[in-house]
Amino acid sequence: MKKLVLLVLTGLTCSGIIAQKKPLDGTVYDQWQSIGKTILSNNGKWIVYNINVQEGDDSLVVQATDQSWKKVIPRGYDARITGDSRTVVFSIKAQFKELRQARIKKKKPADMPRDSFALLNLGTDEVQKFPGLISYKGPKTQNEWVAGLLKNEPAKKPAYQSDKSKDSLQQVVDSLQYVINALKPRDGEGKDSITDYGKNNRLLLVNTISGAQRYFFNVSDYAFDKKGSRLLMVQTLSLKDTSRTARVILYQLKTGKTDTLLRGGNDFKNLTLSDEGDRIAFLAERDAKPKALQRFYKLWYYRQGMDSATVLVDTLTPNMPGGSTVSEFGKMSFSRTGRRLLFTTAPVKPPRDTTLVDIDKVNLDIWNYKDDYLQPYQLENQKRDQQRSDLAVYDFDASRMLQVGSRELPNVYEAPESDGTVFIAVTDTGRRVESQWMGRTRKDVYKIDIRNGRYVPVVQNLEGQIAASWCAPSGKYVLWYDSRQKNYFVFDGTMARNITGAIKVPLYDEENDVPDEPAPYGIMGWTEGDRSVLIYDRYDIWMVDPRGKALPVNLTKNGRQQQVTYRYIATDPEERYIRPGDKNLLHVFNNENKKAGFAVLENNRLDFSFFIPALFREQPFYFDSVTKAKDAAVYSYTRECYTQSPDLYVFADRKEAKLSAINPQQNAYNWGTAQLYHWTTFSGKAATGILYRPEDFDSTKKYPVILYFYEKLSDNLYRYMAPAPTPSRLNISFFVSRGYLVLTPDISYTIGHPANSAYDYIVSGAKDLTRHSWVDAARMGIQGQSWGGIQVAQLVTMTPLFAAAWAGAPVANMTSAYGGIRWKGGVNRQFQYEKTQSRIGATLWEKPELYIENSPLFHLPKVTTPLVIMANDNDGAVPWYQGIELFTGMRRLGKQVWMLNYNGEEHNLVQRKNRKDISVREQQFFDWLLKGAKPPRWLTEGVPAVDKGIRWGLEE
């Protein structure tokens, strides 16, 4: 017997108190809060987090984790805590109203209100503020040093005024003293540097322990070494005295000594220090004239003990590819010990042709069938490709440069624990055209050892997945997943072996319903010493021997039996290996009831006791934003459910404490409840969805219903849904608060028949709801966006059940969309239909009947449901002409249809003003057809183009 499944929550509950409360409206959006970035001090005694509003001024909360002290800083953000757990460093944003006014006045970026740089000693109340912030940085291993680059505001030089009470000689002395003070070198500038008032930046260096401060003037760039022992800076002088040039200086933080590494140059980039700070590299361009059409950078190097920096690599360096130079755009880094330097090279680009004036230039794109990528893709990525560079390595032990990457090997990454000796290269050269219909390419993989210059083939024509994080950190093993064989393989330098063949459960997506090979669930990581790799199946974690000598071991054991999924939560951003002896934190999710919790994997055994099972084992909540203190067993996380905002909690000493209490105003509004709902589809399949009901639900009343859908959504049972102006989807909390029921059905698809699959799950769910006396079967609507949008458009051609329908960015005609372009990325759409979400599984020429079957355009005469379409003219995913085809077809047939085109907007609305507008229109549309409200003018009369920008048609 079909029935509504209500979750009865005991113990920790997410149920609200039913009372007479007001419904949500559009005025509540802006100040609705959320928890932002969260950081814990290394000792676990302090926590810093943002409380953000949707529009307006956010705040930064600095708090003791034992709740003994708390300070709220208006508009604070981007915080860090120093390594000694004594000071929080952060930025303070300009007031929202000031920024808004500046935008209204169309001020230039340089004239916009600037942020401030700020410091606060933890446990105290005094905030030090420094206005004019451009950026701030600290050492990667955060210690007591921090630096903020500040804009020099135009100095107000006091005009010299004669004081008649002084004699003429004293006036002359005062005048000279004014000039002397104006020209006096500032601290840190050196003997040959003069402050340029009102034009250049100043760098403020602060020691957070002693409170000492020092300014360096005319600084354009700066960088710390990892441990914070040295500060590298570029000083640029822009005085009229051209004999004074820019320079690169090194400041010793412990001794206060300043060394000039290089004097003179036009531009300096990629300031790079080794972890120990004893080696330095940077790029410098020193020779070009101001209007030069070509600029050549050289790589400069300095090591502790040298008098100054010297050129390490330029166009004449041995092994530099012919016609290439050091690239200014690539990243640069030292290996862990500093014995090798990674940088990039690029072919020298010809100078821009200045002989043609703009009016004589031909603007032309030439499409060639032999091109690796279609022209729209090339144009979309033109800047990236112009700045593309290839990896090279300088080996200081061998005193030589080695070019590692190339146009044929464009993707090269370092094995992070190999000290810059082992690299993995992945290439799809020569096979890129097939991405047009495959959505991916076959790849060759190479292992590169720069010590002997060997490029060893690992696997050829791979159909599968490989990622930088998958390979062993030492570079000893290269790991990949083969989609055809559905197993993981490793290459150990001599041979490749299947290391998961003994695992008898699938390691790939068991619910895959697209016409392509299922993707793997991925890996948790490598254990210390590359002794094993931890691999996921749908539920469990397997320990696998890369040597293939020991059988795989299921570490979590019971996941599949209990339908529980275990996934690792990395809490150390610098973690290189997983250490079995550590308390490795796991997220636990029950796929049946959607409850979640935490567990610990320690010494290859699952432990639920560390986090107190009563609090954390399968609770009716969603946990997120998990953070751990570096040197203490202190954890922070957010916890939420549909009725409770995601507040911040801390767990320490086997106790949980709630730190935040955001959105107290929610208690004044009629909210809702969320429950799993089960039914059987027309084809006899078990179906699941979420049923949302108003908090003041009364079973003696009848309620209108909206069905919202996109693939599968039931895992979101315990997710909070803040009332917010929608980018195009249904704002569930808003509609539920206003007296609607909302059902979000999960959909499983049959290849080739996505429209019938959607009908099977969505319409059967709607029909099942009508069995209940509290559902108004005559007032049911549907809403979907993108893939959900096409299904809305399909369903109104398949059933008269719905009284109102709203389709965001729908495809109307698969036959015309098939060969089109996703303009955001510049790729062709064929792969979507043959391999991925659209699920046809064949070309247009092989099975044209399937494209017609699943295209609403060909079935429009059957439509009886009023439909609103959103199709924006800058949509980069679904070409807006698809909306036009749908609109003009229905209009031709005399159907009720409207189309909203937010000019210049994207697939999902970006601009908040547009989000607010569509939220109002969506409410008006459904209230009209599902509640009997009076329709607004944009629905009854429209808004003529002559009234564009004058009237919006929102009035009745």
Side-chain angles (χ1 to χ4, degrees):
M1 177 179 176
K2 299 175 182 177
K3 63 179 181 178
L4 176 66
V5 178
L6 302 178
L7 296 180
V8 180
L9 307 178
T10 59
L12 294 170
T13 69
C14 256
S15 58
I17 300 174
I18 299 176
Q20 290 297 111
K21 301 178 180 180
K22 57 187 177 182
L24 292 167
D25 59 53
T27 66
V28 307
Y29 297 144
D30 290 352
Q31 295 305 305
W32 215 269
Q33 298 169 322
S34 62
I35 301 294
K37 178 182 176 182
T38 302
I39 54 173
L40 279 164
S41 62
N42 286 348
N43 63 9
K45 294 183 179 180
W46 307 96
I47 190 167
V48 180
Y49 57 97
N50 275 101
I51 295 181
N52 299 330
V53 295
Q54 293 182 26
E55 185 170 271
D57 292 321
D58 301 330
S59 59
L60 184 72
V61 180
V62 185
Q63 189 171 0
T65 53
D66 65 3
Q67 303 187 77
S68 61
W69 178 88
K70 180 179 180 180
K71 184 172 181 63
V72 178
I73 301 165
R75 306 186 312 283
Y77 75 104
D78 189 24
R80 304 178 190 177
I81 301 176
T82 54
D84 58 7
S85 301
R86 295 178 55 172
T87 306
V88 58
V89 186
F90 54 98
S91 304
I92 298 178
K93 190 176 290 293
Q95 289 187 354
F96 175 80
K97 62 181 181 181
E98 293 179 0
L99 291 167
R100 175 177 166 80
Q101 284 301 312
R103 286 193 291 267
I104 290 172
K105 295 177 181 179
K106 298 182 180 180
K107 288 189 175 183
K108 297 178 180 179
D111 299 326
M112 294 290 286
R114 287 192 174 272
D115 298 350
S116 295
F117 176 47
L119 299 95
L120 172 68
N121 289 330
L122 291 164
T124 69
D125 288 328
E126 183 179 354
V127 176
Q128 297 181 72
K129 299 180 183 178
F130 306 90
L133 179 65
I134 298 171
S135 68
Y136 87 83
K137 300 177 184 177
K140 188 174 182 180
T141 304
Q142 187 74 53
N143 64 5
E144 72 271 23
W145 293 100
V146 66
L149 188 62
L150 309 174
K151 179 179 175 61
N152 262 352
E153 300 299 332
K156 295 181 180 179
K157 298 182 182 179
Y160 179 73
Q161 296 179 347
S162 173
D163 186 344
K164 293 183 178 180
S165 66
K166 298 181 180 181
D167 59 34
S168 59
L169 178 60
Q170 185 61 49
Q171 289 184 30
V172 172
V173 171
D174 289 347
S175 179
L176 289 173
Q177 186 62 52
Y178 171 77
V179 174
I180 291 170
N181 290 338
L183 297 178
K184 185 182 296 182
R186 299 293 182 94
D187 189 18
E189 289 188 275
K191 296 179 181 179
D192 57 353
S193 179
I194 301 175
T195 301
D196 179 13
Y197 284 95
K199 189 163 187 179
N200 297 304
N201 305 326
R202 54 198 170 103
L203 185 70
L204 170 63
L205 176 66
V206 181
N207 185 296
T208 59
I209 294 179
S210 67
Q213 300 177 9
R214 183 170 184 176
Y215 280 106
F216 297 87
F217 288 83
N218 309 324
V219 174
S220 61
D221 197 6
Y222 61 108
F224 287 94
D225 67 323
K226 181 178 180 180
K227 296 183 179 179
S229 61
R230 295 169 176 84
L231 175 62
L232 187 64
M233 292 172 280
V234 175
Q235 284 187 320
T236 56
L237 301 181
S238 58
L239 299 179
K240 294 180 180 179
D241 184 355
T242 57
S243 65
R244 302 182 185 276
T245 59
R247 62 179 185 164
V248 179
I249 63 172
L250 178 65
Y251 181 73
Q252 306 284 346
L253 293 168
K254 293 182 180 179
T255 65
K257 180 183 176 183
T258 301
D259 295 310
T260 298
L261 306 189
L262 181 66
R263 193 183 303 278
N266 300 313
D267 193 19
F268 303 88
K269 293 189 174 183
N270 289 4
L271 303 184
T272 307
L273 298 95
S274 63
D275 286 356
E276 298 297 329
D278 58 339
R279 298 176 188 251
I280 290 169
F282 56 88
L283 303 184
E285 190 282 298
R286 309 180 74 201
D287 306 317
K289 301 295 183 183
K291 295 184 179 180
L293 298 178
Q294 283 184 310
R295 294 179 180 270
F296 294 92
Y297 287 80
K298 296 179 181 180
L299 195 163
W300 292 74
Y301 172 70
Y302 172 85
R303 185 173 183 179
Q304 186 173 324
M306 296 171 60
D307 290 334
S308 60
T310 61
V311 174
L312 185 70
V313 179
D314 62 11
T315 56
L316 301 178
T317 300
N319 294 332
M320 172 67 73
S324 292
T325 185
V326 177
S327 174
E328 63 186 283
F329 299 111
K331 293 182 179 180
M332 194 157 64
S333 64
F334 283 96
S335 65
R336 184 169 47 85
T337 63
R339 295 165 64 184
R340 291 165 190 88
L341 176 66
L342 283 63
F343 63 101
T344 62
T345 66
V348 175
K349 294 179 176 59
R352 181 171 51 87
D353 184 359
T354 59
T355 61
L356 276 177
V357 294
D358 288 344
I359 62 172
D360 292 333
K361 289 181 181 177
V362 177
N363 289 320
L364 171 68
D365 302 328
I366 299 176
W367 297 45
N368 190 304
Y369 73 98
K370 293 182 179 180
D371 286 347
D372 275 355
Y373 300 109
L374 291 171
Q375 276 288 315
Y377 180 89
Q378 296 180 49
L379 293 169
E380 180 75 12
N381 295 282
Q382 186 178 43
K383 182 177 180 180
R384 183 202 68 183
D385 292 342
Q386 288 172 342
Q387 297 180 356
R388 206 186 73 78
S389 53
D390 303 310
L391 180 67
V393 177
Y394 193 92
D395 188 332
F396 294 104
D397 292 344
S399 299
R400 67 166 185 165
M401 166 193 165
L402 178 68
Q403 185 67 44
V404 181
S406 64
R407 290 297 184 260
E408 291 72 33
L409 292 177
N411 302 308
V412 182
Y413 50 88
E414 177 194 12
E417 293 298 299
S418 71
D419 200 30
T421 63
V422 179
F423 297 83
I424 311 300
V426 181
T427 179
D428 58 0
T429 302
R431 287 151 294 185
R432 292 168 179 161
V433 173
E434 65 189 34
S435 65
Q436 176 177 321
W437 55 88
M438 295 292 291
R440 51 181 166 73
T441 56
R442 291 172 291 123
K443 298 174 175 63
D444 296 338
V445 182
Y446 296 86
K447 182 177 179 179
I448 306 167
D449 191 329
I450 71 161
R451 291 167 294 194
N452 53 32
R454 293 182 61 202
Y455 284 63
V456 181
V458 174
V459 58
Q460 305 293 303
N461 283 319
L462 171 65
E463 290 189 26
Q465 291 189 18
I466 184 169
S469 59
W470 282 14
C471 297
S474 69
K476 182 178 180 180
Y477 300 107
V478 181
L479 174 72
W480 70 92
Y481 175 82
D482 189 303
S483 295
R484 291 172 296 183
Q485 301 189 54
K486 295 183 173 55
N487 273 292
Y488 288 87
F489 290 75
V490 297
F491 178 78
D492 61 8
T494 58
M495 63 175 294
R497 67 171 62 90
N498 181 339
I499 61 170
T500 55
I503 299 176
K504 301 306 180 185
V505 298
L507 301 174
Y508 50 84
D509 184 2
E510 296 181 24
E511 296 183 304
N512 180 63
D513 60 2
V514 300
D516 200 2
E517 296 292 348
Y521 289 106
I523 76 167
M524 173 174 162
W526 288 81
T527 60
E528 194 169 12
D530 298 340
R531 285 187 286 270
S532 60
V533 59
L534 306 181
I535 295 177
Y536 295 128
D537 70 15
R538 182 179 179 183
Y539 304 101
D540 291 304
I541 301 169
W542 293 81
M543 183 173 65
V544 180
D545 181 1
R547 302 168 303 166
K549 295 182 178 180
L551 289 174
V553 177
N554 184 344
L555 300 181
T556 47
K557 300 185 187 304
N558 60 12
R560 184 166 294 273
Q561 290 77 16
Q562 297 180 0
Q563 302 287 286
V564 170
T565 297
Y566 297 94
R567 291 296 183 261
Y568 180 55
I569 301 174
T571 56
D572 181 359
E574 302 220 352
E575 178 182 75
R576 303 192 302 269
Y577 291 101
I578 292 171
R579 294 177 173 84
D582 290 351
K583 295 185 183 301
N584 296 291
L585 184 62
L586 301 181
H587 178 265
V588 184
F589 180 76
N590 187 306
N591 292 270
E592 294 298 309
N593 60 29
K594 315 303 179 182
K595 295 180 180 180
F598 296 125
V600 163
L601 188 65
E602 184 178 11
N603 293 321
N604 299 331
R605 298 186 63 181
L606 203 58
D607 178 13
F608 286 95
S609 63
F610 178 76
F611 282 98
I612 308 177
L615 285 175
F616 296 105
R617 188 169 186 177
E618 286 199 17
Q619 297 301 322
F621 297 107
Y622 180 85
F623 297 92
D624 202 2
S625 304
V626 181
T627 307
K628 180 187 177 296
K630 182 178 180 180
D631 303 322
V634 179
Y635 298 81
S636 70
Y637 46 89
T638 58
R639 192 176 79 194
E640 66 186 273
C641 64
Y642 179 68
T643 59
Q644 293 180 10
S645 294
D647 272 308
L648 186 65
Y649 292 77
V650 66
F651 181 83
D653 299 324
R654 297 184 64 78
K655 294 179 182 178
E656 182 188 60
K658 183 178 180 180
L659 300 184
S660 71
I662 63 175
N663 297 318
Q665 74 279 10
Q666 179 182 314
N667 292 327
Y669 292 95
N670 184 40
W671 198 251
T673 60
Q675 302 140 341
L676 285 179
Y677 186 81
H678 299 292
W679 71 97
T680 302
T681 71
F682 299 137
S683 62
K685 299 172 183 175
T688 300
I690 302 174
L691 179 63
Y692 298 90
R693 304 193 299 182
E695 183 179 345
D696 61 356
F697 175 78
D698 183 346
S699 62
T700 65
K701 297 181 179 179
K702 283 188 177 293
Y703 291 86
V705 179
I706 301 176
L707 285 88
Y708 170 75
F709 34 83
Y710 192 96
E711 302 275 359
K712 291 181 171 66
L713 298 173
S714 65
D715 284 356
N716 296 327
L717 177 65
Y718 295 111
R719 296 299 301 267
Y720 183 77
M721 296 185 183
T726 176
S728 52
R729 301 179 292 273
L730 188 77
N731 188 278
I732 293 175
S733 297
F734 181 86
F735 280 92
V736 170
S737 174
R738 302 186 69 84
Y740 287 88
L741 305 179
V742 175
L743 178 66
T744 62
D746 287 352
I747 307 167
S748 294
Y749 294 91
T750 300
I751 304 304
H753 305 282
N756 286 333
S757 299
Y759 178 90
D760 191 28
Y761 282 86
I762 296 167
V763 179
S764 67
K767 289 277 191 181
D768 192 79
L769 274 178
T770 62
R771 298 183 302 103
H772 301 285
S773 60
W774 30 267
V775 170
D776 190 335
R779 296 186 295 162
M780 304 184 80
I782 48 176
Q783 202 274 357
Q785 161 69 14
S786 191
W787 179 238
I790 185 176
Q791 292 174 339
V792 167
Q794 290 167 335
L795 289 176
V796 296
T797 71
M798 303 173 78
T799 177
L801 178 65
F802 302 108
W806 186 290
V811 167
N813 180 359
M814 287 189 174
T815 67
S816 61
Y818 173 76
I821 298 293
R822 291 179 66 96
W823 294 107
K824 186 70 174 178
V827 298
N828 184 251
R829 297 174 54 85
Q830 290 176 356
F831 74 92
Q832 294 179 234
Y833 299 92
E834 297 179 39
K835 293 293 183 181
T836 62
Q837 190 175 54
S838 297
R839 294 176 169 90
I840 299 301
T843 71
L844 179 61
W845 307 282
E846 291 169 334
K847 295 188 177 179
E849 70 279 4
L850 293 183
Y851 285 81
I852 293 172
E853 173 189 316
N854 293 282
S855 296
L857 183 71
F858 296 99
H859 315 292
L860 292 183
K862 301 175 184 177
V863 175
T864 59
T865 303
L867 174 68
V868 173
I869 305 160
M870 184 195 77
N872 301 323
D873 52 22
N874 193 37
D875 190 326
V878 175
W880 82 302
Y881 59 72
Q882 288 294 314
I884 295 173
E885 288 192 49
L886 186 58
F887 176 84
T888 55
M890 290 186 66
R891 183 174 184 263
R892 167 69 177 81
L893 294 168
K895 310 295 183 181
Q896 288 182 286
V897 63
W898 300 260
M899 191 173 90
L900 306 176
N901 168 26
Y902 288 92
N903 301 163
E905 268 285 14
E906 301 186 21
H907 187 62
N908 293 290
L909 295 176
V910 174
Q911 297 183 56
R912 190 170 178 82
K913 62 182 180 181
N914 293 335
R915 292 182 174 192
K916 287 184 175 181
D917 183 86
I918 201 172
S919 296
V920 172
R921 296 183 194 278
E922 197 169 76
Q923 177 195 341
Q924 290 179 330
F925 176 69
F926 284 121
D927 281 358
W928 168 41
L929 293 173
L930 302 185
K931 281 189 168 183
K934 188 175 180 180
R937 189 166 295 178
W938 71 271
L939 285 168
T940 57
E941 299 178 15
V943 179
V946 295
D947 290 338
K948 183 176 180 178
I950 302 171
R951 294 174 50 207
W952 281 265
L954 295 173
E955 68 281 2
E956 295 178 354

